[in-house]
Amino acid sequence: MLSFTAKLYGIFLKFQQRYNLYNLTQSALHGHDVDPFGITSRHEEPTAASNPSFHDGVATKDIHIDPFSSLCVRIFLPDTVVNSNLTTTTTKENGGLGYGGYAPSTGKRHKKLPVMLQFHGGAFVGGSNDSVGNDAFCRRIAKLCDVIVVAVGYRLAPESRYPAAFEDGLKVLNWLGKQANLAECGQWTGNGRRKMDSHVFDGFGLAEPWLAAHGDPSRCVLLGVSCGANIADYVARKAVEAGKLLDPVKVVAQVLMYPFFIGSNPMNSEIKLANSYFYDKSTCMLAWKLFLPEEEFNLDHPAANPLIPGRQPPLKFMPPTLTVVAEQDWMRDRAIAYSEELRKVKIDAPVLDYKDAVHEFATLNMFLDTPEAQACAEDIAIWVKKYISLRGHEFSY
């Protein structure tokens, strides 16, 4: 059972969400919501600063990757990529100036890790990749899974409505491929021989050093939280459609944590738990109205309902999909039904169902220290590691 404190906080959170959504709705009605550049966070949400030196086993950095929008990423690099006595290398030691964080050493072999693209929650209108809660969650996942986490700061609604957030997710996947190709191009000298240090910087200085030295995009996992799960599923579908055009990036699995699914024909939990704690159905409806353009508003929109017929590509081509659901979440049944459809076509699609849990029980800041949140992250790591095993080569030049 939920504790009294959790229930009280849930009531407070509901009022806060409704107040914020009301303000955003008023802004949209007065035409103040249109912003081509977009925003990726809101000032009222506390954020965690990045730290390019290893702290508590993880180093982080922020990168703005699109000159035409606010799209950005935060990279979480676990310290397993280096020896314990080399966890912090300043730029001065690597020929640079004024940078005090970790920089991969040149002329050395580097450990390669899988890359996980993470999409935060927030009902498309809030949250951020650098929020206190998301930063702590990504650090936990980076360490438990031993992966490089790339947390995506996609554009929020209503300033940037559908399909902005979905396009941003796909853009980051393509950016990851570009980074890999830049690093690969830089690995060769004019006489066709490999250079030991060129996987860190290409000839134009464009390759992101941490990903170039330590990232293995052929073992890419998508992880989405709440509405971020909708984005992850969209990116997975586009990756399937792209096929070898994405090489060397390969999406090997995805994790959907309490997806933000909905539909016009309500399922049992959408009726029975409509007034559930933390995120009730009426509040989420307000968010959908802010996210979808008015002329496209439909609860069976492809962004909202994964069960509509005719969605492409066919489910049999989808990657292995782990779904996390909570017992007290009104969105649970549609997520379970989607998982069942994947299993019908022989996709590995297990469901982790957590008793007495609420929406975002493993990612909301106030719950991160609970045993349930820790157990959920550990369960995810166990499943993910099945699909990112090294298959015999841990190091590469």
Side-chain angles (χ1 to χ4, degrees):
M1 294 289 291
L2 287 175
S3 68
F4 174 76
T5 303
K7 291 180 179 179
L8 193 62
Y9 181 81
I11 294 171
F12 168 76
L13 187 63
K14 276 188 185 181
F15 279 110
Q16 184 183 50
Q17 289 168 344
R18 285 184 173 276
Y19 175 77
N20 292 338
L21 288 168
Y22 173 79
N23 287 339
L24 289 173
T25 301
Q26 291 302 306
S27 177
L29 288 174
H30 291 87
H32 300 150
D33 62 322
V34 180
D35 183 356
F37 192 76
I39 62 170
T40 58
S41 64
R42 301 202 180 276
H43 64 84
E44 64 269 15
E45 298 182 31
T47 58
S50 61
N51 184 353
S53 297
F54 288 102
H55 173 70
D56 192 26
V58 179
T60 60
K61 70 163 70 168
D62 296 327
I63 304 174
H64 179 209
I65 66 172
D66 182 12
F68 303 106
S69 76
S70 56
L71 176 62
C72 59
V73 297
R74 171 165 289 188
I75 301 177
F76 296 79
L77 183 72
D79 63 8
T80 56
V81 297
V82 290
N83 295 327
S84 59
N85 62 339
L86 294 175
T87 54
T88 302
T89 306
T90 63
T91 1
K92 184 177 181 181
E93 292 169 331
N94 285 277
L97 295 173
Y99 176 71
Y102 168 72
S105 300
T106 58
K108 294 180 63 178
R109 301 175 77 192
H110 293 84
K111 182 178 180 180
K112 294 284 188 176
L113 293 180
V115 179
M116 175 182 285
L117 296 190
Q118 189 264 357
F119 305 93
H120 66 81
F124 297 114
V125 299
S128 69
N129 65 333
D130 61 353
S131 69
V132 172
N134 200 68
D135 181 86
F137 173 73
C138 288
R139 286 175 174 274
R140 174 176 289 173
I141 288 294
K143 289 188 289 185
L144 287 174
C145 296
D146 199 23
V147 296
I148 299 173
V149 176
V150 179
V152 180
Y154 55 85
R155 288 170 291 169
L156 302 178
E159 292 84 358
S160 303
R161 293 178 182 249
Y162 176 86
F166 285 61
E167 291 176 342
D168 286 351
L170 183 59
K171 190 172 293 184
V172 173
L173 188 70
N174 288 320
W175 175 82
L176 183 62
K178 177 184 176 182
Q179 294 302 310
N181 288 324
L182 285 171
E184 180 65 22
C185 289
Q187 286 185 357
W188 302 93
T189 61
N191 59 10
R193 295 182 178 180
R194 280 185 179 269
K195 297 189 291 183
M196 287 291 289
D197 61 346
S198 54
H199 59 296
V200 177
F201 301 105
D202 72 290
F204 299 95
L206 294 175
E208 202 296 304
W210 290 2
L211 291 175
H214 301 298
D216 179 4
S218 69
R219 294 179 289 156
C220 180
V221 178
L222 309 177
L223 185 150
V225 176
S226 188
C227 67
N230 299 44
I231 300 173
D233 190 62
Y234 169 84
V235 173
R237 290 174 179 274
K238 290 300 180 181
V240 169
E241 291 177 353
K244 292 188 179 298
L245 293 176
L246 270 179
D247 284 349
V249 177
K250 183 178 181 181
V251 175
V252 298
Q254 68 169 340
V255 180
L256 308 181
M257 300 183 69
Y258 17 82
F260 202 66
F261 295 153
I262 197 171
S264 60
N265 293 320
M267 305 189 81
N268 182 54
S269 66
E270 295 170 352
I271 299 172
K272 184 179 178 181
L273 300 173
N275 293 315
S276 55
Y277 289 100
F278 292 90
Y279 297 90
D280 61 31
K281 188 173 181 179
S282 60
T283 300
C284 294
M285 283 287 292
L286 294 175
W288 276 111
K289 290 178 180 179
L290 287 169
F291 176 63
L292 293 175
E294 186 175 348
E295 65 276 10
E296 293 185 39
F297 183 77
N298 180 358
L299 294 184
D300 289 326
H301 191 284
N305 189 356
L307 302 178
I308 57 173
R311 290 184 89 201
Q312 295 295 323
L315 290 181
K316 65 180 180 179
F317 298 114
M318 291 294 284
T321 301
L322 173 66
T323 302
V324 175
V325 296
E327 185 182 29
Q328 301 299 323
D329 183 7
W330 66 268
M331 292 174 266
R332 56 177 279 113
D333 280 4
R334 197 168 297 270
I336 293 172
Y338 181 46
S339 183
E340 290 172 350
E341 292 300 311
L342 289 169
R343 289 196 296 276
K344 286 179 182 178
V345 291
K346 309 303 182 184
I347 300 298
D348 181 23
V351 174
L352 296 178
D353 191 351
Y354 291 86
K355 186 176 176 60
D356 291 330
V358 296
H359 192 79
E360 287 223 50
F361 74 93
T363 45
L364 202 62
N365 193 38
M366 76 161 292
F367 291 134
L368 283 174
D369 292 332
T370 63
E372 293 80 7
Q374 180 68 36
C376 180
E378 292 172 356
D379 291 342
I380 289 171
I382 291 170
W383 185 83
V384 165
K385 286 179 178 178
K386 292 196 304 181
Y387 294 99
I388 58 174
S389 59
L390 296 169
R391 297 182 179 90
H393 63 280
E394 183 175 2
F395 294 89
S396 63
Y397 287 103

